[in-house]
Amino acid sequence: ILRDRDVRFLCDLYKVKYLNSGRICELYGGYKNTMRRLRQMEINGYIRVVDKTYTGENVYGVTKKTCNTFNLLFESVPKTSKLSHSLAEADLYYYLLGNNGGVKEFNLEVQYYFNHNKRKYTFRPDIFLETDRKILVEIDLCNRRFEDKVKKW
């Protein structure tokens, strides 16, 4: 049986795609209780272990069963090479949530269309945030120059 806390957790996990067990314990309570609930949700097929971090923590993602239960669109899992990238996006989400950042909207990898000098452009930021402003966030874990990334787009 899913509790209210489990439902909130599953919806948040769906939004950010991945979370490691250490972050989950920080956000959702004590270590023992959280790990017990994670094991129960994994056994019941709501979450799955996607990978392990270099520190040995499990990284969790939602399953098709979770998406079907909450009428959410199931997305295929991207390559694990993007795992650290996804965990960084999740860290930003929870940082903003914890600091009452006034986030109205938080979307990952959404096409953003805009006009500039009478030309139409398309941009796919890692994160699209909306507070009192629209903010496009690009997370770079490979230390490439931003100009080189723009050329690639």
Side-chain angles (χ1 to χ4, degrees):
I1 297 173
L2 291 175
R3 300 177 184 159
D4 290 342
R5 184 174 123 177
D6 297 336
V7 172
R8 280 194 315 272
F9 163 70
L10 290 171
C11 290
D12 282 346
L13 183 59
Y14 176 79
K15 183 173 262 189
V16 297
K17 295 190 176 137
Y18 303 110
L19 277 175
N20 60 343
S21 52
R23 174 67 71 199
I24 295 167
C25 290
E26 287 175 27
L27 296 167
Y28 293 97
Y31 179 81
K32 274 186 171 181
N33 289 335
T34 303
M35 293 308 290
R36 183 175 43 81
R37 292 303 298 162
L38 288 173
R39 272 192 300 280
Q40 288 174 346
M41 284 188 277
E42 185 181 2
I43 288 168
N44 290 315
Y46 289 103
I47 60 174
R48 67 186 183 88
V49 175
V50 177
D51 204 354
K52 287 192 178 287
T53 63
Y54 66 93
T55 59
E57 295 176 312
N58 288 336
V59 177
Y60 294 95
V62 296
T63 61
K64 205 169 201 171
K65 180 179 180 178
T66 300
C67 295
N68 291 339
T69 302
F70 299 111
N71 293 323
L72 301 169
L73 178 65
F74 181 74
E75 298 176 21
S76 61
V77 179
K79 296 177 184 174
T80 54
S81 62
K82 290 186 73 176
L83 194 59
S84 57
H85 195 266
S86 295
L87 291 172
E89 292 170 341
D91 283 345
L92 177 63
Y93 174 71
Y94 284 105
Y95 173 79
L96 293 170
L97 203 64
N99 288 319
N100 198 10
V103 177
K104 298 173 191 169
E105 192 174 339
F106 185 93
N107 294 306
L108 300 176
E109 297 182 2
V110 175
Q111 280 307 79
Y112 184 74
Y113 303 96
F114 63 96
N115 296 319
H116 181 66
N117 292 336
K118 298 181 181 180
R119 287 186 62 197
K120 293 182 180 184
Y121 293 92
T122 303
F123 184 68
R124 187 178 191 133
D126 291 327
I127 301 170
F128 173 77
L129 290 172
E130 190 171 343
T131 57
D132 55 338
R133 298 178 179 181
K134 292 181 180 178
I135 303 168
L136 307 173
V137 178
E138 183 66 29
I139 294 177
D140 184 10
L141 300 176
C142 62
N143 296 325
R144 283 188 291 170
R145 291 178 5 146
F146 186 71
E147 291 84 8
D148 293 339
K149 290 182 86 172
V150 170
K151 286 177 189 173
K152 181 181 161 194
W153 291 319

